[in-house]
Amino acid sequence: MSEQQGHEQQDPEQGPQPGHQQPGPQPGHQQPGPQPGYQQPGPQPGFPPPGSESGYQQPGYPPPGFPPPGYYPPPGTYTGDPNAPYGYDPYGRPYSDKSKVIAGILQLTLGGFGVGRFYLGNVGMGLAQLFTCGGLGVWSLIDGILLLTGNDHTDEHGRILRS
């Protein structure tokens, strides 16, 4: 049959015969089209182009950028209230911008000069500690321990100290 069409049948073990072309890519020629393993630029089928909104939202989910309903920020986060720069504690009291750890360490190390109380804005008590050398060290030591362990100390604005 193949002789009737004017073509010779090739033996697969011999390879291509001279004067005959093999179908497919030829050596020295670059094949046009996508290369395997490379992603083509532009939109992918079934997906919107990057940066564009799909125009619909999945049901049951809030729009992006908004917290879900019933969400309350964790204690100590900024809420936008200038009277509570670091949010509110679980009892609704505003947190201070001052730290009780820093105040306690200052009071333990430099309590003879009243530095921990000056840091908190308690100028009167800081001056009393300064003039008495921190109660000869006893007052400043006890005050530093109470600042570190207590949860009810406030700054000059009456806000609760952060941990």
Side-chain angles (χ1 to χ4, degrees), residues 20-156:
H20 293 278
Q21 288 190 354
Q22 288 286 349
Q26 298 295 321
H29 296 288
Q30 186 174 6
Q31 181 180 6
Q35 298 290 328
Y38 293 99
Q39 185 177 7
Q40 293 295 314
Q44 298 295 318
F47 295 101
S52 70
E53 295 296 323
S54 60
Y56 64 90
Q57 182 68 28
Q58 292 182 349
Y61 292 98
F66 293 99
Y71 171 79
Y72 296 102
T77 57
Y78 183 68
T79 59
D81 186 2
N83 295 324
Y86 288 92
Y88 295 94
D89 71 348
Y91 300 109
R93 302 176 296 184
Y95 278 122
S96 172
D97 56 342
K98 307 285 171 68
S99 170
K100 75 176 187 176
V101 174
I102 293 176
I105 291 175
L106 284 173
Q107 191 63 28
L108 287 174
T109 56
L110 300 171
F113 303 110
V115 175
R117 288 298 177 165
F118 284 122
Y119 169 73
L120 294 177
N122 301 333
V123 178
M125 196 174 289
L127 286 173
Q129 287 182 353
L130 177 65
F131 292 138
T132 63
C133 293
L136 298 176
V138 177
W139 182 12
S140 61
L141 176 67
I142 293 171
D143 199 25
I145 292 171
L146 288 175
L147 280 171
L148 285 171
T149 59
N151 289 329
D152 58 347
H153 292 285
T154 59
D155 65 357
E156 74 268 18

